[in-house]
Structure formats: structure tokens, C-alpha cells
Amino acid sequence: MADAKEPGPGAMELGSPPAPDAAPSPGTMSTRRLRSEDYNDYSSTDVTPEGSPPGGINGFAHPESYQRFGETNGTTWYQTLIHLLKGNIGTGLLGLPLALKNAGILLGPLSLLVMGIVAVHCMSILVKCAHHFCYRFQKQFVDYGGAVMYGLESTPSAWLRTHAVWGRRVVGLFLILTQLGFCCVYFVFLADNLRQVVSAANGTTTDCHSNRTVALTPTMDSRLYMLSLLPFVVLLSFIQNLKVLSIFSMLANVAMLVSLVVIYQYIVRDIPDPSDLPLVAAWKTYPLFFGTAIFAFEGIGVVLPLENKMKNPRQFPLILYVGMTIVTVLYISLSVLGYLRFGASIQASITLNLPNCWLYQAVKLLFSFGIFFTYAVQFYVPAEIIIPPLVARVSERWGWVVNLLLRVALVSVTCVLAILIPRLDLVISLVGSVSSSALALIFPPLLEIATYYVEGMHPLVIAKDVAISLIGFVGFVVGTYEALVELATPATVINATSVLVQ
């Protein structure tokens, strides 16, 4: 689980691969394995040098006319489904109940449903365009940035064709912003939950059935908790071996899965009368809902890498629809049940609303444990994009020193940003509005227009793509503005953990 969003090869396109014969050193962790054109699992029949693969712009290519062979040791449909779920489920899920408060008990679920449908449609657009360019240019694999670059090269505009390489760079930039944004969210999440556990330690009981209010013991500001966590996160970031990281990722996924099960069993009990909850919240707070929701749905970066690694890639469209249906149902159910259970007192993370008994205190620690190790997985992406080109500029003798210093600097930047924005709900909404909306909603429809416009597109398809991109752009602008306004407004209580917990 990432936000717990699992990094994928599509996120690596700004890195520079080593020479073909060079073996990657453990200190620099070559990005070659994760780059777009190093995969050897694309093969096709009935390929034409120009134009679309059979199936055109109407969807995924037909199996009869599109043959794709996956890796012999690739992932099965079940493994791919699990990875897809991991790539879309994380801290954003825990913030959705508060997001629902910003939209309304009726408008919120309907909006999540629509956003889920649009998100999976944009994912399918990205896969379809990547297939198109694999056919057209005889590429083995095209990643997100490469698809955007080739799309700009296909447009009638000479200026866009000349500057097409900037498409790859812009996608890479937003991927970096997204991943570092996740890391900032993790710092705030860890600090808030640890602060609440420590402050409620004296009031922790063995009775998990009572609903009594516990007065929290004064403790450090959450920003001091972030600083206290910094050395441990820095040490974690020094792990550069993906196999080692995969072990921590597995432990994190198990911890978060167990935590979610316990959270669900609590919130389905003793739901109060929801008649006093607004069906539609004030429109001023809706952009904050949009930012949090799109943050939760932004798993588009893992789509192409997962499809590329399958043993039988023809199964991927079905897996995509099934997986995203599960994700959407999970998002809607947790957000609705959480909001119904806690009402107006819902906090930035639903874990902060859990009782102060040993079981739910353990859940907070367990989920924090998972998020802590997920940080290393998410940090791997921007580190492998930014660090190798800079290390290559110094001598081999100093390369490992520069590598470690850059890692310390990047982790420190995420910590400082988290300290500057110590409100979990707002940092999630800001990251979602700024970067996730671009990757998940704005770029894919524009990519479809750029890819297929010269071949002829139905006006309704163009109108649909323009509408989705405009919605994403409006959400990007308004959501970012509202989040910044909220940040500039002094809050009565900065730390959600200073509120009395039921």
C-alpha cells in the first residue's frame, strides 16, 4: 500500500542509464532496469509503421490483431491485481472521511464514484496511447513521459513537435513532486499519530467498548515530533537496494491491511443518526474535497509498469477495471462509514478518531509502522531521478559521499515542508491539487487528442477529452488556491491530536 502508492518504472524517465555494459553499483542503483526502452516484452503482429494499431481510438487493441508477449517470469493476474491495489490505497484513504465532510454526505460519495470512473478511463487512455506508439515506432515499451513526448511529436503544431522533449520532462517533474509530496504527507501523518499515542498514554485502557472522553496529556508540538523522526527517516533512505526495500514494503502492507480491518470493524458499530449531516456542504470547501480525493485516486503512474511486467498482458484491461472498482468501493465505503460514525468531529486521519484503548492505540502504531517503511519506497523514485546525474559529475572517490549527502538533503526538504504545513488534511489536499490532478486528469485526455487528432477523431471524443482536462485544470487551480488560503488562515488548533478523542 502506498500512499502507499508503489513507485513504478514510469516514474524514472529523467534518470540517466549507465553504459550498456556497465554493471550497476549498489551505491548508485542504476535506473536502467526501470527505464522505458530497456524492457523486452513487447512483440506484435500485423504492425504498421504508421498509424494506430487495429482498434483505433475506440479502446484497447483487439486481441486478434495485437499480440503481446510478457516476460516468462512476469507477474500473474493475481499479483498484478495486488500491486494495482497497493498502488492506489494508502494515507489518502484515511483522509477521505474528512474530505466527505467538505463535500456532503450525498455529494461526496457521488463525486467519488464519478472520479473513480474518470480516473480508470484516463488510465485506459494512457495504456491505449502507449500501445499506439509501440506499434508506430516499433518500441518495446513506452512509459508515461515517453508517451507524452511522442504524442507532442504527432501533433500538427511545428512548435509542439520541436519542443516535444519537454513533455517527458514535465511528466517527470510532476512525478517527482507527487512522490516528494507523499513523503511530506508521511511525516505529518507519523507526527500526528505518534503525538496522540504519547499524549493519551496515561489514559489508555483495556476497555475498548466504552466511549468515554479522555483528556490528553500535554506533549511536544507535532513539528518537534517531525524533527525527532528525521534522523531515523534519513537512515532509512540510505537503503538503496530494491530487494531489501521490497521486504520492508511487504511488512508495511501487512501492517496497514491489519489496521484497516480493525478500523472497519470499529466504525460499522454504533453509527449515530445521520439526519443532522448536510447532504451538500458549502461550495467553498469542495475544492479541498477534490484535492484529497484525487490524491487518493492518483495511481496512474503504476499502470504502464504493471501492464509491462505481466506474463499475459492481454488480461490487464480486465484487471484494471476490476482493481479500480474494488478501490472505488473501498474509498466510498470507508469515507461514508467514517463520516457517519464520527460526524462533524472527524479528523484529518480517521486513525485520530479511534478510542484510547490498547487495541486502537496499537492500530495507530501499526499503521505508522507501515507508513514509516513506505517512505523509503516512495523516496526511491525521486532519489533515482535526481541523484545519479549529480553523482556522475564528481569523481568515483567522492561519489558515495555525494550520494548520501543528497539523500540527507532531500529527506530534510520533505521534513521542512511538512513542518511548514503541519496540517495533514491540507497537505494531502495541496499535493493532490498540484500534482495528482495533472497526472491523473489533465495529461491523459490531452495525450489522446495529440495522439489521434491527425488521424481523425469524433467531435464528441474531443469534447469529452477537453471537458476532463478542464475539470482537472479547474480543480488544480481552485484546489491549490483554497488549500493555500486555509494554510494562511491561523487555525484555532493546529494539531488535530490536541482535540479530545472519543
Side-chain angles (χ1 to χ4, degrees):
M1 293 182 187
D3 308 300
K5 291 185 168 51
E6 188 174 84
M12 305 294 184
E13 56 254 12
L14 293 188
S16 300
D21 297 328
S25 66
T28 56
M29 284 302 295
S30 167
T31 60
R32 176 176 172 79
R33 179 70 184 89
L34 299 176
R35 282 177 56 83
S36 61
E37 297 177 9
D38 293 320
Y39 289 90
N40 297 312
D41 62 346
Y42 265 95
S43 179
S44 59
T45 58
D46 192 22
V47 177
T48 57
E50 299 292 339
S52 303
I57 66 173
N58 297 320
F60 293 102
H62 298 300
E64 297 81 8
S65 57
Y66 175 55
Q67 184 178 4
R68 172 138 187 277
F69 301 100
E71 297 183 357
T72 56
N73 61 344
T75 56
T76 64
W77 70 268
Y78 174 77
Q79 292 170 324
T80 303
L81 178 61
I82 295 299
H83 286 307
L84 182 64
L85 295 176
K86 284 164 55 181
N88 284 275
I89 298 174
T91 51
L93 170 65
L94 302 180
L96 284 177
L98 178 61
L100 209 68
K101 177 183 176 182
N102 291 325
I105 193 62
L106 176 62
L107 181 60
L110 291 177
S111 298
L112 283 175
L113 177 61
V114 172
M115 292 182 72
I117 294 172
V118 173
V120 73
H121 177 65
C122 289
M123 291 176 183
S124 67
I125 287 176
L126 180 60
V127 173
K128 178 180 62 177
C129 292
H131 286 180
H132 171 87
F133 292 118
C134 286
Y135 272 86
R136 183 173 179 181
F137 298 112
Q138 298 289 280
K139 295 288 183 181
Q140 296 169 336
F141 176 71
V142 174
D143 59 21
Y144 196 159
V148 172
M149 181 179 69
Y150 291 134
L152 294 178
E153 290 177 351
S154 303
T155 62
S157 170
W159 188 88
L160 289 178
R161 293 196 301 269
T162 303
H163 298 84
V165 69
W166 280 97
R168 175 187 288 275
R169 293 170 181 170
V170 169
V171 169
L173 174 63
F174 276 98
L175 285 168
I176 291 175
L177 292 176
T178 300
Q179 300 302 128
L180 291 180
F182 293 159
C183 293
C184 294
V185 170
Y186 296 160
F187 261 112
V188 181
F189 178 88
L190 288 170
D192 279 355
N193 281 270
L194 291 178
R195 184 179 190 275
Q196 189 183 72
V197 170
V198 171
S199 62
N202 292 334
T204 300
T205 69
T206 57
D207 181 9
C208 294
H209 300 288
S210 64
N211 192 29
R212 63 190 183 87
T213 298
V214 176
L216 304 183
T217 304
T219 184
M220 296 189 301
D221 187 278
S222 65
R223 288 165 284 200
L224 294 178
Y225 277 90
M226 296 179 202
L227 285 177
S228 302
L229 289 166
L230 180 59
F232 301 99
V233 178
V234 167
L235 291 176
L236 185 67
S237 72
F238 288 166
I239 301 175
Q240 302 172 49
N241 189 313
L242 272 181
K243 291 185 178 180
V244 176
L245 288 179
S246 67
I247 297 174
F248 290 124
S249 177
M250 180 186 67
L251 294 175
N253 293 330
V254 172
M256 289 189 284
L257 177 61
V258 172
S259 300
L260 280 178
V261 172
V262 177
I263 291 172
Y264 262 102
Q265 67 83 28
Y266 177 75
I267 62 177
V268 296
R269 296 185 282 117
D270 303 322
I271 295 178
D273 182 9
S275 59
D276 59 335
L277 299 179
L279 296 178
V280 179
W283 286 105
K284 182 177 177 59
T285 61
Y286 189 83
L288 298 177
F289 162 83
F290 175 87
T292 303
I294 200 62
F295 177 94
F297 272 114
E298 202 285 294
I300 196 168
V302 305
V303 170
L304 290 180
L306 289 180
E307 192 249 7
N308 178 61
K309 293 297 293 180
M310 288 190 68
K311 285 182 180 179
N312 185 3
R314 293 184 184 181
Q315 297 176 330
F316 186 76
L318 179 60
I319 293 172
L320 178 63
Y321 295 131
V322 171
M324 292 307 297
T325 299
I326 295 173
V327 168
T328 303
V329 170
L330 182 64
Y331 284 0
I332 294 176
S333 62
L334 185 69
S335 60
V336 171
L337 290 173
Y339 186 36
L340 289 175
R341 178 65 178 81
F342 300 112
S345 64
I346 187 68
Q347 298 191 45
S349 170
I350 195 172
T351 56
L352 301 175
N353 285 94
L354 297 177
N356 289 299
C357 75
W358 67 269
L359 175 62
Y360 298 109
Q361 295 290 70
V363 165
K364 298 169 192 176
L365 292 175
L366 197 61
F367 214 103
S368 298
F369 170 85
I371 291 299
F372 176 76
F373 286 113
T374 300
Y375 184 102
V377 180
Q378 295 301 320
F379 181 79
Y380 183 88
V381 175
E384 287 302 302
I385 294 175
I386 297 172
I387 294 177
L390 297 177
V391 170
R393 295 175 179 269
V394 301
S395 64
E396 185 176 351
R397 176 184 177 184
W398 295 99
W400 69 275
V401 177
V402 174
N403 184 357
L404 297 183
L405 288 176
L406 288 172
R407 290 176 180 276
V408 172
L410 283 177
V411 173
S412 299
V413 166
T414 62
C415 182
V416 169
L417 291 175
I419 290 174
L420 294 175
I421 313 174
R423 296 174 61 183
L424 182 61
D425 56 331
L426 294 185
V427 71
I428 288 178
S429 182
L430 186 61
V431 172
S433 298
V434 171
S435 55
S436 299
S437 60
L439 293 173
L441 296 180
I442 299 176
F443 293 161
L446 296 180
L447 172 62
E448 183 175 38
I449 295 176
T451 302
Y452 296 106
Y453 184 79
V454 295
E455 300 178 17
M457 296 179 65
H458 195 284
L460 290 179
V461 176
I462 297 177
K464 177 263 298 179
D465 288 340
V466 171
I468 293 175
S469 290
L470 283 178
I471 292 173
F473 182 74
V474 170
F476 168 84
V477 174
V478 180
T480 301
Y481 172 78
E482 287 296 333
L484 292 176
V485 168
E486 288 292 323
L487 287 172
T489 303
T492 304
V493 179
I494 290 182
N495 296 300
T497 51
S498 62
V499 180
L500 296 184
V501 180
Q502 297 295 322

